[in-house]
Amino acid sequence: MKIELQQKRWVVRIIFTAIYLLIPFIKINGDSILRFDIPSLGLLFFGKTIYIENFFIVLIFTFFITFLIILITQLYGRIWCGWLCPQTVMMNFTKFLENKNLSFFTKFLFHTAVLAISALIGASMVWYFVSPYAFFSGLTDGTISSVTVWFFIVLTIITYLNFALIRYKFCTTICPYSKLQSVMFDDNTLIIAMDPETSYKCVKCQACVNTCPVGIDIRQGMDSQCINCGRCITACTKTMTRENEDVSSLINYIYGFNNRKKTFRTNVIITGVVTALFLSGFLFMAATMKPYEFQVFPNSAFLPRYKDDQVINSYEIMLRNLTKDNLRVELKLKDFKNYELQYPQPLVVAPDETLKEKVFLFIPAAELKKKPILSLTMQSLGNDEKGKPLESELSFRRPIRKKK
């Protein structure tokens, strides 16, 4: 059995919607697979947490997505709009609102259903910022924050008004992507159009015009308002079948008006290379992201001093755990042997926490006879001592007062 075009779109839309709704519920290492966690200000991304300090990684990923969209548009036109865009997907799920010949009671039921769908979508958008498990438990025991509730209510109302009043007007008047697409198209981009070679067989049934959700006439040529939904193809196919024509449809997906598929084009190659570079940069930075932060600052409340034959300096260390596991850290000096470090042991930092501790460094006074100031490097070794240690520069000073 041959699957009709609109049936394929329905399958794709259902799968896409299911993935969108389920992603916040899927966990890796105890957290959502993808969510910007408001309490910790960190992006949960496939088992890793990218905190606000490392958001340049997210910027690189944003550039990758941007150029990927440009690349897909250069190759396949507005395939996103017609098959995956949440706006057009939801418009199809609420298509029953387009029926004008309904009784008041039926309209009330339909709008109630749309309000329920809007509430689900509003909640799903909140789940990408607040754990859905915390969301539901907060609703049942009354501990959910008022900010979360108001966000949910506002998003539900905006979504409902969009479905009930704006609908496809958003695609033709507001959506910036529809305005930019003409810049990204070329003579070999995939479009929906009437085949010039068979256009003379058009019986002017107006089926393609009547079924178009944005109200364009595809027979007049490519229009920037076209969302590539393919309804006109389905309508023309039915007409051609009824007319017993030797072509399945006068309207179809074609690669430019000359219908020549040419994948490797100059603009596509350039965009593809840039996209690959941003993806490589993102993957490299995500893979090499530090599991914690380490910094050393002078302890201004403690002046350098002598103790017996040693000089003491004090520092304040800052450790921030960027993982979801307890972090155990050991400290040492790099390329310096004759010293003693005193600090609370073991240094353990809880997940998503910042620890500040005082550290006292003892060095024999004889080491400072030639140089009153030593430039040293303190290293921190995390749970995996085989890994590369984090380093922070420090200055070790001889006391101003002479030893008594």
Side-chain angles (χ1 to χ4, degrees):
M1 179 180 176
K2 186 178 180 180
I3 302 177
E4 189 259 336
L5 177 63
Q6 296 306 314
Q7 292 175 330
K8 293 179 182 178
R9 288 184 67 230
W10 268 108
V11 171
V12 172
R13 286 185 296 234
I14 291 172
I15 294 174
F16 174 76
T17 303
I19 292 173
Y20 168 76
L21 293 175
L22 291 176
I23 279 178
F25 292 91
I26 302 173
K27 290 185 175 182
I28 294 181
N29 298 333
D31 282 312
S32 298
I33 192 172
L34 178 64
R35 189 180 83 244
F36 182 80
D37 189 57
I38 294 296
S40 65
L41 293 179
L43 177 66
L44 307 178
F45 186 81
F46 291 85
K48 287 185 173 289
T49 303
I50 303 174
Y51 289 93
I52 198 74
E53 293 85 353
N54 294 321
F55 246 52
F56 62 92
I57 299 178
V58 179
L59 178 63
I60 297 298
F61 184 73
T62 303
F63 281 128
F64 160 67
I65 293 296
T66 301
F67 280 96
L68 179 63
I69 292 174
I70 295 174
L71 178 63
I72 293 173
T73 304
Q74 290 174 339
L75 289 170
Y76 304 110
R78 291 183 70 175
I79 203 76
W80 164 263
C81 299
W83 292 73
L84 293 173
C85 176
Q87 176 74 11
T88 52
V89 169
M90 290 301 109
M91 290 304 101
N92 280 273
F93 282 138
T94 59
K95 189 179 177 181
F96 50 80
L97 283 183
E98 298 174 9
N99 192 342
K100 304 299 181 182
N101 301 318
L102 299 173
S103 65
F104 175 80
F105 181 70
T106 305
K107 286 183 179 179
F108 174 78
L109 290 179
F110 280 179
H111 279 271
T112 302
V114 171
L115 184 60
I117 295 173
S118 301
L120 175 61
I121 295 172
S124 68
M125 286 189 277
V126 172
W127 297 339
Y128 278 86
F129 298 91
V130 177
S131 169
Y133 300 100
F135 179 85
F136 285 116
S137 62
L139 281 179
T140 54
D141 58 24
T143 58
I144 190 170
S145 70
S146 58
V147 175
T148 302
V149 173
W150 276 110
F151 263 108
F152 166 61
I153 293 173
V154 170
L155 289 172
T156 299
I157 293 173
I158 292 175
T159 304
Y160 169 75
L161 293 176
N162 176 32
F163 289 165
L165 302 177
I166 301 176
R167 297 189 68 76
Y168 288 104
K169 294 186 183 71
F170 176 89
C171 304
T172 58
T173 60
I174 301 174
C175 179
Y177 178 56
S178 67
K179 307 302 178 186
L180 293 173
Q181 61 161 324
S182 58
V183 180
M184 296 180 272
F185 279 25
D186 60 25
D187 293 337
N188 300 100
T189 299
L190 186 68
I191 60 173
I192 290 181
M194 177 174 279
D195 190 344
E197 295 183 1
T198 58
S199 59
Y200 68 92
K201 294 185 178 183
C202 178
V203 296
K204 297 179 174 55
C205 64
Q206 300 291 316
C208 57
V209 178
N210 295 332
T211 194
C212 181
V214 294
I216 65 173
D217 187 348
I218 197 67
R219 299 171 301 173
Q220 303 301 317
M222 191 175 65
D223 194 305
S224 62
Q225 295 182 357
C226 176
I227 60 172
N228 279 33
C229 66
R231 287 194 196 178
C232 54
I233 298 176
T234 302
C236 189
T237 300
K238 292 179 181 178
T239 299
M240 291 296 101
T241 302
R242 189 171 58 249
E243 296 291 329
N244 292 318
E245 291 288 351
D246 56 353
V247 290
S248 59
S249 176
L250 305 180
I251 305 169
N252 217 324
Y253 284 102
I254 59 175
Y255 289 93
F257 286 104
N258 294 324
N259 198 16
R260 289 183 301 178
K261 184 178 180 180
K262 186 180 178 182
T263 303
F264 298 102
R265 316 187 295 268
T266 303
N267 58 340
V268 172
I269 292 174
I270 292 174
T271 307
V273 170
V274 174
T275 304
L277 288 175
F278 277 116
L279 175 60
S280 301
F282 168 75
L283 293 176
F284 174 77
M285 286 187 287
T288 58
M289 189 171 58
K290 297 177 182 177
Y292 64 97
E293 293 180 356
F294 171 63
Q295 287 181 293
V296 180
F297 306 96
N299 182 3
S300 58
F302 187 96
L303 295 177
R305 62 194 66 180
Y306 287 103
K307 183 180 180 182
D308 299 331
D309 293 329
Q310 293 185 313
V311 176
I312 310 173
N313 277 207
S314 179
Y315 306 91
E316 184 176 66
I317 63 166
M318 186 279 293
L319 291 163
R320 184 177 181 187
N321 189 354
L322 303 178
T323 69
K324 295 299 179 181
D325 300 314
N326 284 332
L327 174 69
R328 186 186 181 99
V329 175
E330 294 184 5
L331 303 177
K332 69 174 186 178
L333 293 186
K334 180 181 180 181
D335 300 329
F336 198 87
K337 295 182 179 181
N338 197 9
Y339 72 92
E340 180 186 354
L341 265 176
Q342 292 184 1
Y343 58 90
Q345 296 190 41
L347 279 177
V348 179
V349 190
D352 302 328
E353 295 293 330
T354 299
L355 176 69
K356 293 182 179 180
E357 285 289 356
K358 301 292 191 300
V359 174
F360 297 91
L361 176 58
F362 295 75
I363 293 181
E367 297 282 351
L368 291 99
K369 284 185 177 180
K370 295 182 179 180
K371 291 183 178 181
I373 299 176
L374 299 177
S375 296
L376 303 173
T377 301
M378 186 177 292
Q379 295 181 323
S380 64
L381 290 168
N383 295 335
D384 182 11
E385 295 190 3
K386 296 180 181 179
K388 185 178 180 180
L390 300 187
E391 299 180 349
S392 183
E393 304 293 328
L394 61 90
S395 295
F396 188 90
R397 299 175 181 274
R398 188 172 63 194
I400 297 177
R401 294 182 179 180
K402 294 183 179 180
K403 181 180 178 182
K404 295 181 179 180

